[in-house]
Amino acid sequence: MLEEVERWLNARSWSAADRPVQHLLSAKHATGQSVSVVLPALDEEATVGDIVAVIRRELVLGVPLVDEIVVVDSGSSDRTAEVAAAAGARVVHRDAILPRIPAVPGKGEVLWRSLLVTGGDIVCFVDADLREFSADFVSGIVGPLLTDPDVHLVKAMYDRPLGAAPGQGGRVTELMARPLLNMHWPQLAGFVQPLGGEYAARRSLLERLPFPVGYGVELGMLVDALHLVGLDALAQVDVGVRVHRHQDGRALGRMAAAIYRTAQLRLARGHLVRPTLTQFERGADGFEPHTYAVDTEERPPMTEITEYATRRVA
């Protein structure tokens, strides 16, 4: 590990317990910063309501740290929107945001559009499939942004069990993202969960970043933020254990392909060779190939969008 990264690990890695919520509230009042929490959601009626309810109870009504909770629904076929609204979130459909640009499927697409329907100086992203959710996932990662003006982006770090096996989750992280970062961006080798969906950042940073529309958004954002603001402006906070729904191997393969593509684009900014992934499934006549497109589109920095600039002026 680079000496710079070892120093960073000591200086920019914390625990949620290091900053009590009352201390964060004092910092929020002193600095006048507002906080938005965004949950990207697709068919998450089983979990989204509990997450929203915890945030609202503990960080809106209890200690008023969070100013708004926004669930961006990307086309759920279940009751995700109704459950989220009943729990106290403002629900916005992805397609209703910036309608002049047709939406494409993908998590990054939803996160990018969320900047247009939130107002916080600090934007905190939380995945909507978490179980046994703790408010530390929010207060922990917004804490350094409220208390340290030199920090611009904070990732959550946590244990990720796979069923009953501790520490075995995050398979795409270990097999794809971590090797890529260590080989090509060794300054980022200290991040425990580089692909984790729980992170917070200053709007002033997010609005200057391009957003890969799919699963590459977390890796792309981390790499681009490193180049834009430097390693010392990035941090991570231990929030305990992350319990969520795990995907099957084929879905993980498609996720890994999108992440590799995101890295490739940042390494070369050149021509993409065959942005598709073929996987195999046994059928009646043997193994059958199934080919999937790999996300190849990115959304530009939000500062380049006319509607966003107009909203800021207004």
Side-chain angles (χ1 to χ4, degrees):
M1 183 175 288
L2 297 176
E3 183 178 338
E4 178 186 8
V5 177
E6 292 183 353
R7 178 192 56 76
W8 176 85
L9 275 170
N10 291 324
R12 286 289 189 255
S13 295
W14 297 292
S15 167
D18 292 336
R19 293 176 175 82
V21 176
Q22 288 294 340
H23 176 58
L24 298 183
L25 186 60
S26 297
K28 175 181 167 69
H29 289 158
T31 60
Q33 298 177 92
S34 55
V35 177
S36 299
V37 176
V38 173
L39 283 77
L42 177 64
D43 294 331
E44 303 293 359
E45 68 171 315
T47 50
V48 68
D50 289 341
I51 297 171
V52 170
V54 169
I55 298 171
R56 186 169 185 270
R57 181 179 66 248
E58 298 189 25
L59 300 178
V60 177
L61 300 178
V63 176
L65 194 68
V66 170
D67 297 280
E68 61 176 348
I69 307 170
V70 179
V71 170
V72 182
D73 185 358
S74 55
S76 297
S77 59
D78 65 4
R79 297 181 60 253
T80 291
E82 294 89 336
V83 170
R90 175 162 59 91
V91 179
V92 185
H93 195 282
R94 175 200 63 196
D95 297 348
I97 307 170
L98 199 61
R100 75 170 175 87
I101 299 178
V104 297
K107 178 183 179 183
E109 177 82 354
V110 174
L111 301 184
W112 181 71
R113 290 174 186 263
S114 74
L115 296 181
L116 270 163
V117 294
T118 54
D121 303 301
I122 295 169
V123 182
C124 174
F125 298 120
V126 176
D127 281 350
D129 66 341
L130 303 187
R131 304 194 302 272
E132 302 175 24
F133 179 77
S134 165
D136 285 349
F137 274 78
V138 173
S139 60
I141 57 178
V142 303
L145 296 164
L146 288 170
T147 59
D148 189 337
D150 294 327
V151 174
H152 290 257
L153 185 148
V154 182
K155 297 279 293 188
M157 56 178 168
Y158 33 68
D159 296 317
R160 294 185 67 180
L162 181 61
Q168 295 302 306
R171 291 161 287 173
V172 176
T173 293
E174 299 304 329
L175 296 175
M176 176 60 72
R178 201 178 307 285
L180 281 172
L181 292 175
N182 276 263
M183 287 188 290
H184 299 298
W185 296 280
Q187 285 179 296
L188 298 174
F191 277 94
V192 175
Q193 297 293 351
L195 299 186
E198 290 69 48
Y199 48 100
R202 300 192 188 282
R203 177 177 294 272
S204 58
L205 171 63
L206 293 172
E207 65 188 12
R208 291 185 288 160
L209 296 175
F211 277 61
V213 298
Y215 285 119
V217 63
E218 275 84 23
L219 183 133
M221 188 178 296
L222 204 54
V223 170
D224 292 340
L226 173 68
H227 291 301
L228 201 58
V229 296
L231 181 60
D232 283 340
L234 313 180
Q236 59 186 350
V237 173
D238 188 349
V239 297
V241 179
R242 185 185 198 265
V243 181
H244 66 112
R245 182 187 67 250
H246 292 282
Q247 302 196 54
D248 63 30
R250 290 183 178 84
L252 296 179
R254 296 190 289 274
M255 189 183 304
I259 289 163
Y260 177 73
R261 170 261 164 193
T262 300
Q264 181 191 44
L265 191 61
R266 277 152 180 78
L267 284 169
R269 293 290 176 185
H271 177 65
L272 283 174
V273 179
R274 194 175 179 269
T276 59
L277 175 72
T278 299
Q279 297 176 312
F280 293 87
E281 185 173 350
R282 186 184 292 277
D285 299 318
F287 285 101
E288 300 173 352
H290 298 271
T291 299
Y292 303 89
V294 175
D295 297 320
T296 58
E297 187 170 356
E298 294 196 4
R299 295 306 190 188
M302 192 56 79
T303 51
E304 297 179 12
I305 299 299
T306 302
E307 288 88 340
Y308 188 78
T310 302
R311 191 195 75 150
R312 298 275 288 187
V313 170

